[in-house]
Amino acid sequence: MPKRILIIEDNMVNYKLAGIILRKAGYEILHAGDAEQGVAIVRAEHPDLVLMDIHLPGMDGLTAIRILKGDSATQRIPILALTALAMKGDEESIFAAGCDAYLSKPIGHRALIDIVGRFL
């Protein structure tokens, strides 16, 4: 059974790119277009890994990460941030929220496969 990855991303181009790369690598992909939906899917489906955009409509990705990492039922699921954030201090904020790793956008094919492979 393939490992399942939930991509929480509101930009369909970014979602489709990551989804194509990961499907070709043999992963099953789930999708949420916002953080609220993503949190609900994680709680219901328990994917093997979550790719989380940080800037999302409504609840932001950092808040969603804190919620998931604060819940004993979901805290062990690795969460990787996919973000355009690249300012000094952003990395610290991402890790302080509980994120396990992050990739800056635009994402590279090899970098995405490598970081996902480290966790799965």
Side-chain angles (χ1 to χ4, degrees):
M1 182 167 196
K3 299 284 187 178
R4 295 181 312 144
I5 299 172
L6 171 61
I7 302 173
I8 303 174
E9 171 66 69
D10 62 322
N11 181 301
M12 287 307 291
V13 172
N14 291 338
Y15 161 67
K16 286 179 181 179
L17 174 62
I20 288 168
I21 292 168
L22 294 169
R23 278 187 191 95
K24 283 185 177 183
Y27 298 107
E28 180 182 331
I29 303 302
L30 306 170
H31 177 246
D34 62 49
E36 291 89 350
Q37 181 186 25
V39 168
I41 291 172
V42 171
R43 287 178 170 159
E45 300 290 331
H46 293 275
D48 298 293
L49 182 119
V50 175
L51 294 178
M52 176 81 70
D53 185 19
I54 299 301
H55 291 291
L56 293 163
M59 179 193 306
D60 68 14
L62 294 177
T63 301
I65 292 166
R66 286 186 199 97
I67 289 168
L68 293 170
K69 290 299 187 173
D71 183 339
S72 63
T74 58
Q75 67 186 4
R76 289 190 173 85
I77 298 170
I79 301 176
L80 311 180
L82 293 179
T83 180
L85 293 174
M87 303 298 291
K88 184 176 174 78
D90 291 332
E91 183 176 353
E92 292 83 9
S93 298
I94 289 168
F95 287 120
C99 203
D100 296 288
Y102 88 100
L103 272 176
S104 295
K105 292 178 187 175
I107 57 171
H109 176 271
R110 176 62 25 213
L112 179 60
I113 293 298
D114 288 348
I115 199 164
V116 166
R118 282 195 343 224
F119 289 92
L120 297 180

